[in-house]
Structure formats: C-alpha cells, structure tokens
Amino acid sequence: MDTEPHPCWLPEHALAPVGRRAVVVLGTGAVVDTVRAEVDAAVRAHGGVLSEADGSGLPDLVLATVDGARDQPAGGPLAEPLRTAVSRYEEAPLVTEGFLVTRHGDTTVVLAGGGPGLLYGLHHLLRLGHRAFEDGPAEAGGLVTRQEPAQPIRMLDHWDNLAADSPMGPVERGYAGASIFYADGRVRADLSRVARYARLLGSLGINAVGLNNVNVHRREAELLTTHLPDVGRLAAVFRAHGIRVWLSVSYGSPVTLGGLDTADPMDPRVQQWWRDTAERVYSVVGDLGGFVVKADSEGQPGPFAYGRDHADGANLLGRALAPHGGTVFWRAFVYDHRQDWRDRSTDRARAAYDHFAPLDGRFDDNVVVQVKYGPIDFQVREPVSPVIAAMPRTRLAVELQVTQEYTGQQQHVCYLVPQWRELLGFRPWDDDRTVSDVAAGATGPAGGIAAVSNVGDDPFWTGHPLAQANLYGYGRLTWDPTLAAEDVLDEWIGLTFGDDPELRRGLHEIMDGSWLTYERYTSPLGIGFMVKPNHHYGPDIDGYEYSPWGTYHFADRDGIGVDRTVATGTGYAGQYPEPWRSVYESVDTCPDELLLFFHHVPYGHVLHSGTTVVQHIYDTHAAGVEEVERMAARWAELADRLPPDVAERGTGRLAEQLRSAREWRDQVSTYFFRKSGVPDARGRTFY
Ligand code: GCV
C-alpha cells in the first residue's frame, strides 16, 4: 500500500495501557505469536517491557493460554498467580475463545483456552485502559471478569468482486473505494492492508470472513480454481488473528466450472463434483470455514431449476464439506424478483418464511441458514424476520448490513448499533428469549451472526470516518449483544480519538441518535425503499412502485401502506408466533414505527403518538433535517479537536448529508401533500 491507512480504533495511544507495563506472554501457536507481536509493538512504543517468564519479580501483566500456564515451572515467580488463575478457570471452563482476568496483588493475569481467547483478552484490557491494572478486587486471585463470546460464529461477509470490470464495481454496495483483497482481476500481491484489517477484526473477536461477493460472477468462480493458491495467502493472513475465511460459491458451478449438464443435487455426478472440489480446496486451505451460498435469488442459480428445495441444495454442499470440517452458510434471501406489480397478492415479505420454514429439521448439521434481519432487505426499519422464530431444529445465522446500502451509503452519519441492538434483543415469543439467543443456540442448534462489511481501500477504510464505529460496534455486539449502544460508541471514541471530554460529548451528540434521524427524513413508518433504483441513494418515492422487485408503498389519494394482515391482506402477520401475530395484525396495537409495513391506512389515521400519519410525515421530515443541521454545526465546533484529515472528510460528508436530507424532506413532504391534499398543520409550504 502506498499510504498508511487510518489506524481506526487501534492507534498507538490506544496501546498505552499495556505498552507501559512489564508483560509476560505464555503459550504457543500462530495467534499467541500475534499477541506477543502486539505486546512487543506496544511496549516499544510506550516504554514497557516484554520479558521472559523467569525474569525477576512479578510483572504487571501475564497473558497466558492454559497450556502455557501449565508449562511453567512449579517454583518460578509466576507459579502462584498462574496456579490460582488456572484453578479459577477449571471451576467453570470457558469455550476456547473465552478468557478470564484475575488480579494477584499488582499483577493482572489474562488466561485463555487458546490463542484467540488470549487475543480477545488483550484487547479487553486495552478497552478497559488503565482500569485493568488499578481496579478490581484487591485480594489475591480476585476475579475481575470472565468472558466468552455470545455467538459461536461472528462473520463479516465481503461483497468484493475479483473482476476489475464487474458490473457492480469492485465492491457491490461498497462505499469506501476498491476492494482491499483484489485488484486487476487477482488477489493483491501486497496483503499488508489485509493484515491491518485482520488485526482490527481480531481485536473485536470476529472469527469468520467471507472473501467474495455472494453474487458469484464467472471471474469470482475462479477463486475456487485458478486463484485458489491466493485464497491460501489470504487465509494465512487472517489465521494469525483467529479468523477463518469462507468462499462464496455459485450453486451452478458443476455446470459453469465442471462442464456437467446439470447441477441437480440428486445427480451423483454433481455430488462427486462437489466432493472433488472440496477435496481440492481443502488441500490448499486446510482450515477454510466453508462456503457461503446465494441460490435462487436475484438471478443466481439454485436447486429450484431441478425441482429440488433448498434443503436438498444446501445439504449437497454440506456433505461435500463435512469430511473437511467445513460449514455451508446458505442464505434465505429467496424471493421472486420478477413479480408483476399489478399482482397485489404476492408479498415479497412472505417469501423467505414460505420457502424455508417448512424445511425445518431437514438441514444437515454443518448447514447454517443465514437470514436477513428483516423480511425485505436491510431497510432502516423493518420488523424482525419471522423465519428467526420458525426453525427451531435448524442452525440460523442472522445477517446484518454494516455497509450502509439503504442508510446513507457512508455519506450520511448513521450509527447503526442502536438498530442492531434492538433487533438482536427482540423477543419473538412471549418469554425472555431473544433473536441473539436464537442465533447463539439457546433455542436450538447454534448458528451465529453475519454482516456485510463496509470497508474498502479508502484511507479511512469506510468512506465516512464515523462509519468506522459501525464496524467496531458490529464486532462488539457479536461478542455481547447486551452492550449499550452509547457505551460501545464511548469505547470507540476513546480508542480512536483519545480522551478529550468535549470531543467525546460532541460525537455522542452527533452519533447517538443518528439512526433515528436518518429514519425521520427518509421513508416513514416502516414502509421502506422510496430510494433511487439500482444505486439506492437519495429519494425516489415511486422509484420501485411499478417495478418487479416487490417493494411497494401503495400510496394513493386516500392513504398509504401494505396490508399484510391475515384478515384482509397478504397474511404475512400470521407468520409470527404470538404475541406478535396479534400485535401486528391490529392497527390498534401495531407499533407506530411499523404501521405502514403492516397496514394500509388513511392519511388521517391517528397514530399512538396522537398525530395523523400525514402530519407525522411532515413533522418528522422537518425534524430530521433540523437534526442534521445541528449535527453539521456541532461537527464544525469540534473540527479543531479532530485530526485535520478526519475533520475535512467529515465536513464534506455532512454537507452532502444536509443537502440530501433536505431533498428527502422536500420530495417526501411534497409528494404526500400532493397525493393527500392535506395542508400542514404548522403552515409549512410544499412545492
Ligand atoms: C449482493 C440487495 C442488494 C444486492 C445484494 C442483495 C443480497 O438486494 O441490493 O446488491 O446482492 O441484497 O443480499 O444478496
């Protein structure tokens, strides 16, 4: 790479809490080596020392795997703290990715079952800062914390295209430059930027990365063939940070790559082709996570062409991967993208449930069904997908979108952690079990969480520097979905910008509520879309209204919304268990923010908030723009406290956000004024 990219949440100052200490690292393996290298860099920068275990006296910090601790001589200076920590560990063993932190007088000990846990423990200390060495129970062997990840698989999917001339650009829905993996139709020769990225992800506990777009074009398919050795190079970079890589593959590969005349999952030749392919892939990348598959979706081939269902298709690949310990992430994003807009009975929202819920119990153990959080497509507001509550015998992964396709494309500040927290904390049943619990395996076999990454080769990685907080927050929530969104932001601000209270306050003011601000000035009350077709940026209220994509708002002179009730609509509300089926079925109980997703109502319908639908549209759009004005003004006040390049980039993006928000406000308000003829109660003029 020519220039140093922005360090994100790991600038040199963030390493100081550990870098100023006397540290010992115990254990072996690639990820332990990474921990050692990280500590070495930190102590060199900040004046601490990385010493050998048998050095004199007790260090400030010991980072040890359980095996590394057990290998220590019985009489050495570390014997007592390690013995105590190991016995604490054995009282309640953690998953290998977990860690515990104990204090022994002035020494802090991090103990983990393996290298990844140790890495996560190190970064836990960096987040805690100096408190990690000062607070906590003073008595010997005091347990400060024990942690393990909520989710077994914590994945980031890249929609990166290998082909330089791919129709969707180098990164589909990428808003931060070109791919960090590929250039000129091949894996980059210089993977130093990938190594930086792997370090950032490892610091958050991400343990899986999908290397290529789920829309697999002809050239991308070559990752399975010609470019396989380069996949091995990428895998090695990520491996050092506890991350396994995955490949998106085309379901049609036996035809397009194998020269067969079919991809029928029941055809023995097809089965053999996938077995051979898996064999070949694992001979190069022995710890490949597995395959990610988008089948029968938006033009991608799938089992439907052969009269088979998605369990047949997914198990075909699962069985090829099983001997190698691989897993298929099979996406449930299956719907008719060529529907007739005149046909009011077809409802895209129903599709994933209709296709997948009947297959519950038929997927093999190494198949995870990956479900988008909502039934449509990563909108700013959607109900939680009913599929998540409908497949208790299936491993499910919930898919989020860190790249801001529908939430401002990294031109707009839109801190998404509050949205994800709300989605992951949603309780689909009449009890305490959450969406995150389902993914984590509390209600059936465990799946995990996946999300579409938001990075590219942009100097700030994410286009808008503040969009880094979404990547950071995604990782943190996959570890612990109960973290408060403001606390996650607070961590990110401190690590990234240091401890300036005024800057901290200002960034909270700009970012904490930015998801709701974005919602206010865009599509109202859960109706979604209203974006410009294809690129999905900026308002176009009827852009998809007469299209085949199934994303309609049905506004007419009397009202707006989609009737998805069982009584009079598409029946979608009936896909939920109680209490939600009833809650959503009735306009009286449906939450305001989802009203238009579930109901077609007159403009004069009075919301629970006490205002009418049309007045709500006028008011929220005006309020949203005023909020962006305040965000821009606050940013200007903070500019001197920010690094100049960050200040400058943010200033430009906020100017664009303000322009765009005003455009949204004026188009949406004017559209509904013209449709309804209802004047604004506050006397605003429309056009
Ligand atoms: C990768 C949306 C996006 C597509 C994306 C698709 C998916 O429809 O607009 O670019 O394709 O989701 O998730 O597969």
Side-chain angles (χ1 to χ4, degrees):
M1 285 289 137
D2 307 328
T3 50
E4 285 279 306
H6 190 267
C8 296
W9 50 89
L10 292 177
E12 206 175 275
H13 73 79
L15 308 180
V18 166
R20 291 190 190 138
R21 313 279 158 180
V23 189
V24 169
V25 179
L26 302 174
T28 53
V31 187
V32 177
D33 289 346
T34 300
V35 171
R36 207 172 268 117
E38 192 74 72
V39 172
D40 190 41
V43 296
R44 280 173 200 276
H46 295 284
V49 47
L50 173 61
S51 53
E52 298 301 321
D54 53 8
S56 61
L58 279 170
D60 302 313
L61 171 63
V62 183
L63 293 150
T65 62
V66 172
D67 287 347
R70 287 193 181 125
D71 284 350
Q72 284 310 295
L78 298 180
E80 180 52 24
L82 287 174
R83 198 191 53 73
T84 314
V86 170
S87 74
R88 287 276 183 169
Y89 185 91
E90 284 168 346
E91 280 164 20
L94 294 157
V95 299
T96 51
E97 291 184 307
F99 62 87
L100 63 78
V101 182
T102 51
R103 290 274 291 164
H104 308 259
D106 289 336
T107 301
T108 298
V109 176
V110 177
L111 190 72
L118 203 60
L119 182 66
Y120 308 151
L122 167 67
H123 286 284
H124 174 76
L125 295 191
L126 293 176
R127 284 190 291 272
L128 277 182
H130 298 289
R131 284 172 295 156
F133 301 93
E134 287 152 13
D135 290 345
E139 82 276 17
L143 179 65
V144 178
T145 186
R146 48 183 306 130
Q147 294 207 12
E148 37 186 20
Q151 300 297 333
I153 299 183
R154 307 175 296 281
M155 181 183 258
L156 270 165
D157 287 334
H158 281 254
W159 288 353
D160 294 26
N161 294 316
L162 180 71
D165 57 352
S166 178
M168 294 300 284
V171 180
E172 180 153 348
R173 310 307 178 187
Y175 310 106
S179 168
I180 59 170
F181 301 150
Y182 316 114
D184 306 321
R186 49 170 45 91
V187 173
R188 288 177 185 267
D190 176 1
L191 296 184
S192 54
R193 178 109 185 209
V194 179
R196 287 189 172 92
Y197 182 56
R199 173 175 179 250
L200 289 167
L201 299 191
S203 78
L204 302 172
I206 296 294
N207 65 358
V209 163
L211 290 177
N212 61 309
N213 193 355
V214 289
N215 289 330
V216 184
H217 310 289
R218 172 72 212 175
R219 291 296 309 281
E220 273 67 71
E222 291 171 11
L223 286 169
L224 272 183
T225 56
T226 331
H227 298 285
L228 198 50
D230 284 329
V231 173
R233 287 171 52 230
L234 286 166
V237 171
F238 281 108
R239 187 179 298 127
H241 299 268
I243 298 165
R244 290 170 84 182
V245 300
W246 305 63
L247 282 177
S248 293
V249 300
S250 165
Y251 184 79
S253 302
V255 177
T256 51
L257 296 178
L260 299 181
D261 57 3
T262 179
D264 183 350
M266 299 307 169
D267 188 311
R269 292 171 301 152
V270 172
Q271 295 164 359
Q272 189 59 46
W273 188 87
W274 279 112
R275 276 197 296 272
D276 293 346
T277 299
E279 189 73 44
R280 197 166 36 74
V281 171
Y282 278 85
S283 71
V284 179
V285 190
D287 62 349
L288 188 86
F291 295 153
V292 181
V293 190
K294 170 176 178 176
D296 287 318
S297 172
E298 300 184 333
Q300 293 295 305
F304 284 161
Y306 309 97
R308 313 297 183 186
D309 63 33
H310 279 248
D312 299 328
N315 292 341
L316 165 73
L317 273 71
R319 284 167 200 173
L321 293 176
H324 311 282
T327 302
V328 183
F329 270 63
W330 187 272
R331 297 176 87 229
F333 185 55
V334 177
Y335 70 99
D336 179 3
H337 72 292
R338 296 213 177 92
Q339 83 173 72
D340 185 346
W341 59 267
R342 298 166 194 82
D343 166 17
R344 297 278 292 248
S345 67
T346 300
D347 179 5
R348 170 169 166 178
R350 291 189 57 114
Y353 181 104
D354 285 345
H355 289 304
F356 282 84
L359 304 179
D360 186 34
R362 287 207 25 232
F363 291 94
D364 284 0
D365 290 348
N366 67 335
V367 173
V368 175
V369 174
Q370 180 168 321
V371 187
K372 287 192 181 185
Y373 64 76
I376 301 286
D377 196 8
F378 299 137
Q379 299 301 292
V380 68
R381 177 77 68 174
E382 285 188 54
V384 161
S385 168
V387 177
I388 292 165
M391 303 187 70
R393 290 177 294 159
T394 306
R395 297 175 65 183
L396 293 180
V398 179
E399 183 174 353
L400 307 174
Q401 197 180 40
V402 185
T403 195
Q404 291 172 233
E405 176 178 0
Y406 296 102
T407 49
Q409 303 198 350
Q410 286 140 244
Q411 295 287 334
H412 298 217
V413 180
C414 188
Y415 177 55
L416 288 166
V417 173
Q419 182 197 35
W420 300 332
R421 203 177 172 280
E422 196 171 298
L423 293 163
L424 295 174
F426 180 78
R427 297 172 179 191
W429 298 278
D430 205 4
D431 58 33
D432 285 348
R433 293 170 300 166
T434 63
V435 165
S436 176
D437 292 338
V438 175
T443 62
I449 303 216
V452 189
S453 176
N454 64 347
V455 310
D457 72 351
D458 167 66
F460 293 102
W461 297 87
T462 51
H464 203 308
L466 299 186
Q468 290 175 5
N470 285 332
L471 186 60
Y472 180 87
Y474 168 71
R476 298 290 290 128
L477 287 191
T478 64
W479 185 274
D480 180 356
T482 66
L483 293 171
E486 300 78 24
D487 293 347
V488 172
L489 185 60
D490 211 56
E491 281 177 13
W492 176 77
I493 294 170
L495 290 168
T496 306
F497 297 112
D499 201 13
D500 173 346
E502 173 58 11
L503 181 59
R504 192 180 285 270
R505 221 179 353 262
L507 289 176
H508 273 290
E509 284 168 28
I510 290 168
M511 296 173 75
D512 279 340
S514 54
W515 166 51
L516 295 179
T517 295
Y518 187 84
E519 180 182 33
R520 284 184 191 109
Y521 62 77
T522 57
S523 65
L525 298 166
I527 194 67
F529 274 81
M530 300 189 169
V531 287
K532 289 211 171 67
N534 304 321
H535 62 64
H536 299 165
Y537 185 77
D540 186 345
I541 292 134
D542 284 336
Y544 276 101
E545 198 56 15
Y546 306 100
S547 83
W549 291 94
T551 54
Y552 314 120
H553 55 66
F554 298 132
D556 58 25
R557 65 177 189 173
D558 300 318
I560 174 174
V562 188
D563 184 352
R564 293 192 161 105
T565 64
V566 176
T568 54
T570 69
Y572 168 81
Q575 293 183 338
Y576 288 89
E578 292 293 1
W580 297 107
R581 175 196 303 242
S582 301
V583 167
Y584 293 143
E585 177 74 13
S586 161
V587 278
D588 295 334
T589 50
C590 185
D592 282 351
E593 66 273 13
L594 289 171
L595 183 70
L596 303 182
F597 192 92
F598 284 98
H599 297 277
H600 187 91
V601 295
Y603 293 116
H605 174 86
V606 179
L607 298 167
H608 297 119
S609 67
T611 186
T612 62
V613 165
V614 74
Q615 190 61 42
H616 171 93
I617 292 174
Y618 300 153
D619 290 347
T620 51
H621 282 74
V625 171
E626 284 160 19
E627 286 159 22
V628 179
E629 284 164 354
R630 283 198 291 276
M631 285 157 74
R634 195 71 179 96
W635 183 262
E637 286 169 11
L638 298 175
D640 288 348
R641 298 173 178 274
L642 287 159
D645 56 344
V646 174
E648 189 189 334
R649 178 68 73 90
T651 301
R653 302 263 154 156
L654 272 154
E656 164 54 21
Q657 180 169 4
L658 191 50
R659 183 209 64 75
S660 174
R662 285 178 176 146
E663 195 62 29
W664 270 100
R665 175 197 62 194
D666 293 345
Q667 287 203 29
V668 173
S669 304
T670 300
Y671 179 97
F672 287 102
F673 171 64
R674 289 183 188 172
K675 279 265 173 192
S676 69
V678 178
D680 176 47
R682 288 174 183 74
R684 299 179 186 105
T685 44
F686 304 122
Y687 305 94

